[in-house]
Amino acid sequence: MSTSYAVPATEISSVAINGTDDRFPVRRIFCIGRNYADHAKEMGQEVDRETPFFFTKPADAIIPSGTTIPYPKGTKNFHHEIEFVIAIGSEASDVSTDHAKDSVFGYGVGIDLTRRDLQLAAREKGRPWDAGKAFDQSALMGSIYPVASVGHPTDARIWLSINREMKQDGNISNLIWRVEELIAFMSSLYVLKAGDLIYTGTPAGVSPMVSGDAIAGGIEGLGELELQIA
Ligand code: MN
């Protein structure tokens, strides 16, 4: 017997998979902070090699490439963070770095959309970052490229432009915490499961977006994405 809900149930968020009509169902979104030295520096922060840190976004924050979004509520400083994204395909709990990549379904490119003014106000007061990071339509995601087709990329250009002007231009080889280290770490705190996404942090060059901007970005070998601010 199917469950009867008193109010409309939210649909499962999902992401396109390159090369198939099947979709990747999104369960949770983890986002790693300060994972490129040049971005940590531009944010006035030290890189902490002791432990990665992270925050989360709701699964229904996911929006696909090509979306036009309104300028978000409550901010006057709306930023882009282009990121290399890990898509988990099978359970991982207390895995070693040697076995961490066994749980990866694929990889893609995403944008961690950020209300920077709200994030920084929270940071200064030692408060949670949810208002700055975990808002509606805050996780743009391109297609996921399965490991079966692209392997485990470790050296690829990552870039983002606004109105064709390059803003972020880095390489995923500069990740401070690598894919296997991030999965091993996250799996020490959570039982990772199929559908979990890990946004791995952004290189330098984050900047504000305004109404009318056309954003493009990509990772070499993992496709491109587009976003329009209405
Ligand atoms: Mn980020």
Side-chain angles (χ1 to χ4, degrees), residues 55-70:
F55 51 88
T56 64
K57 294 178 188 264
D60 69 355
I62 287 284
I63 49 173
S65 175
T67 303
T68 298
I69 59 169

Side-chain angles (χ1 to χ4, degrees), residues 11-217:
E11 278 183 36
I12 293 175
S13 288
S14 66
V15 176
I17 300 171
N18 190 55
T20 172
D21 289 336
D22 289 347
R23 306 218 17 121
F24 182 86
V26 178
R27 179 170 178 257
R28 293 183 294 195
I29 305 171
F30 298 105
C31 301
I32 308 297
R34 288 172 214 154
N35 205 20
Y36 290 83
D38 57 357
H39 173 63
K41 189 175 176 190
E42 75 179 349
M43 296 300 290
Q45 299 295 314
E46 299 285 323
V47 171
D48 179 3
R49 259 309 304 192
E50 291 289 304
T51 315
F53 83 96
F54 61 93
F55 51 88
T56 64
K57 294 178 188 264
D60 69 355
I62 287 284
I63 49 173
S65 175
T67 303
T68 298
I69 59 169
Y71 192 88
K73 297 168 181 245
T75 184
K76 292 187 167 62
N77 196 13
F78 182 41
H79 273 210
H80 53 81
E81 298 189 355
I82 191 81
E83 309 207 1
F84 176 50
V85 181
I86 307 165
I88 299 293
S90 61
E91 187 171 305
S93 181
D94 293 320
V95 292
S96 66
T97 53
D98 285 349
H99 295 286
K101 286 179 171 175
D102 297 348
S103 62
V104 178
F105 172 80
Y107 299 94
V109 58
I111 304 180
D112 165 12
L113 295 165
T114 300
R115 295 192 286 210
R116 189 72 72 201
D117 43 359
L118 302 189
Q119 179 209 0
L120 296 183
R123 195 182 82 187
E124 278 167 24
K125 292 184 175 177
R127 290 179 178 168
W129 289 10
D130 297 56
K133 290 290 196 178
F135 54 98
D136 299 334
Q137 300 189 304
S138 60
L140 187 68
M141 190 63 209
S143 296
I144 293 170
Y145 286 65
V147 169
S149 64
V150 295
H152 298 277
T154 55
D155 182 351
R157 185 182 177 217
I158 179 169
W159 60 275
L160 180 142
S161 67
I162 300 179
N163 306 326
R164 298 177 184 271
E165 182 187 339
M166 198 61 71
K167 295 290 185 181
Q168 294 189 267
D169 194 356
N171 194 295
I172 64 168
S173 65
N174 293 321
L175 283 172
I176 294 167
W177 296 95
R178 297 178 176 280
V179 167
E180 60 272 28
E181 294 173 310
L182 291 173
I183 293 171
F185 171 70
M186 295 306 296
S187 83
S188 75
L189 294 172
Y190 299 88
V191 178
L192 297 178
K193 289 190 178 178
D196 289 340
L197 295 176
I198 304 173
Y199 282 58
T200 63
T202 197
V206 300
S207 72
M209 299 173 289
V210 298
S211 288
D213 278 348
I215 289 86

